Amino acid sequence: MPQPWQTDTCIGSWHYDANIFKYHYYKDAASVIRMLVDIVSKNGNLMLSVPLQRDGQPDSDEIKVVGQIGAWLKVNGEAIYATRPWKIYGEGPSTVVAEKGQFDGHADVSNKPFTAEDIRFTQSKKGKTLYATVLEIPKDGKATIKSLAKDSSNWPGIISGVRLVGGGKLKFTRDEDGLHVKLPEKFGGKTAFAFKIQ
């Protein structure tokens, strides 16, 4: 979107519902993280509601979800905080069809599961660093970013380095099919992860 926008969602119901806690129906941290990454890549901001019990305290399931989101942001937050949208918001199967939202506009995020081909882009404020967040862990330990193929109009110059946000330098190759990045052998990511590309 050309202008910044904002959306909100709740991890459970908009008021505290003891049955959601009893039957463990809260949104899991992984789905909220993917939603956040998708929204930020589209120049959006996500407000997340955590309904509180009548004594003003979150329950143990809510604390767990918020803690897992916080742990992910502690590692990958560089690709989210103070970033700006890039030339395109993303690539992959989830970018092909725009789903209708509840009020007949575009849905904030896709209802279909994300894949390892679903990647979202953000960039640093000054535009010198590109972040590519892969929304699902690839089973073969390799990620391909088609939008960064050799001679791509998105990035016509050379790519000097790729790092794992919160980690070290990564091996990569670039050809007509895309930028191919190999994850570390002992990669422990479980939800989504971000590359820092320069």
Side-chain angles (χ1 to χ4, degrees), residues 51-115:
L52 303 177
Q53 300 174 86
R54 64 184 175 190
D55 63 359
Q57 298 297 312
D59 63 40
S60 57
D61 281 6
E62 292 173 318
I63 291 169
K64 181 179 175 186
V65 170
V66 172
Q68 290 171 340
I69 295 167
W72 186 88
L73 283 167
K74 190 172 184 179
V75 174
N76 297 280
E78 181 181 345
I80 299 293
Y81 296 124
T83 59
R84 301 293 182 266
W86 191 49
K87 298 173 184 178
I88 57 172
Y89 78 88
E91 68 178 46
S94 62
T95 64
V96 177
V97 178
E99 295 178 28
K100 288 285 187 183
Q102 180 180 358
F103 302 107
D104 207 35
H106 289 295
D108 294 337
V109 290
S110 173
N111 289 321
K112 295 176 185 166
F114 290 113
T115 71

Side-chain angles (χ1 to χ4, degrees), residues 140-168:
D140 62 359
K142 298 172 189 171
T144 295
I145 305 171
K146 295 176 182 175
S147 302
L148 297 178
K150 190 176 180 182
D151 299 324
S152 164
S153 60
N154 294 314
W155 193 301
I158 64 164
I159 291 175
S160 60
V162 179
R163 297 182 71 89
L164 187 63
V165 172

Side-chain angles (χ1 to χ4, degrees), residues 6-54:
Q6 185 163 273
T7 189
D8 51 34
T9 192
C10 186
I11 66 169
S13 179
W14 286 101
H15 62 278
Y16 189 78
D17 184 339
N19 281 327
I20 293 175
F21 172 63
K22 181 178 178 182
Y23 298 108
H24 309 292
Y25 286 155
Y26 289 115
K27 284 183 175 76
D28 63 1
S31 66
V32 174
I33 288 164
R34 292 182 183 109
M35 179 187 300
L36 172 66
V37 172
D38 186 64
I39 289 168
V40 171
S41 73
K42 297 171 180 172
N43 204 17
N45 181 51
L46 172 64
M47 292 189 302
L48 184 65
S49 176
V50 179
L52 303 177
Q53 300 174 86
R54 64 184 175 190

